[in-house]
Amino acid sequence: RMGARVLLATHRAATIGEMSCNPAIGGLGKGHLVREIDALDGLMGRAIDAAGIQFRMLNRSKGPAVRGPRSQADRKLYRQAMQRLVAETPGLTVIEMAVEDLIVSRETSVQGIRAADGTDYRAPAVVLTTGTFLKGVIHIGDKRIPAGRVGEAPAVGLSERLYG
C-alpha cells in the first residue's frame, strides 16, 4: 500500500545488494519474479539497469513459454545501486538484526517478528526473503560450519520455526 512504513531486518546493512560469484539476475524463474517485482515498483530492476553489463534473452530460438531475460551485473555497481536505492526509499527503515522467530497468533496468523535480542516488532504483514541463510552450512574439507555467506551467520532460530 502506498505510504506504508516498512522495516527491513538484515544481519548486515552493508551486504544489501551483495551478489554471488555469478552475478546474474534472471533466467526462466527468477527473470519472471524480477519482472513482477519491477511491475510493483521494486528496486531490483532499477539496480540491474544501473549495474548491468550484459543483457540477453535466454532460449530466444524456442517458444515464448521458455524465454527468459537474464542480466549479468558488475557486482560492485549493483551493491552500490541497491544501497543507494534502499537509502532513498521513503518509509523504509533498515535495522541490523537477526530475526529468530515469527510472532504468531493461534499458530495461524503472523503478527510480526522476534529479534535475536528478544525485541518484538509487530506488523500487519511479514515478508521473508531468507536467501541461503536458513540452516546454512559451509563445507570446508571434511568440516561443516554453520554459516550464511562466508563470514556471516545462518538463520538458525527462524529455520527451526519454518521447519517445525
Side-chain angles (χ1 to χ4, degrees):
R1 128 192 124 141
M2 297 297 290
R5 292 181 307 138
V6 176
L7 170 66
L8 190 159
T10 182
H11 284 187
R12 286 186 36 219
T15 62
I16 294 173
E18 187 70 39
M19 297 184 87
S20 68
C21 56
N22 178 15
I25 291 181
L28 295 182
K30 194 172 180 184
H32 181 82
L33 181 63
V34 172
R35 283 182 169 181
E36 289 183 1
I37 291 169
D38 196 40
L40 295 170
D41 199 29
L43 303 182
M44 205 170 189
R46 287 190 253 162
I48 194 60
D49 285 346
I53 55 178
Q54 180 191 56
F55 298 86
R56 350 180 358 214
M57 183 64 68
L58 300 176
N59 301 322
R60 190 181 300 269
S61 65
K62 298 180 180 172
V66 294
R67 292 181 192 146
R70 181 175 169 192
S71 305
Q72 292 291 126
D74 177 296
R75 294 175 72 224
K76 182 178 178 185
L77 290 178
Y78 185 85
R79 185 179 64 250
Q80 289 172 344
M82 191 57 82
Q83 293 275 332
R84 179 181 49 77
L85 290 165
V86 165
E88 293 171 354
T89 300
L92 178 63
T93 301
V94 177
I95 298 179
E96 292 184 336
M97 73 169 96
V99 175
E100 286 296 312
D101 202 359
L102 298 174
I103 302 167
V104 295
S105 169
R106 295 181 306 274
E107 299 296 323
T108 61
S109 176
V110 176
Q111 304 279 309
I113 60 171
R114 179 161 295 129
D117 68 1
T119 304
D120 287 352
Y121 295 86
R122 302 255 173 200
V126 173
V127 176
L128 296 176
T129 56
T130 60
T132 59
F133 290 84
L134 290 178
K135 283 199 173 178
V137 176
I138 293 177
H139 298 271
I140 301 174
D142 61 352
K143 293 181 185 173
R144 295 177 49 151
I145 304 165
R149 286 183 294 246
V150 174
E152 296 183 56
V156 176
L158 186 57
S159 299
E160 294 301 325
R161 162 63 82 175
L162 296 175
Y163 286 120

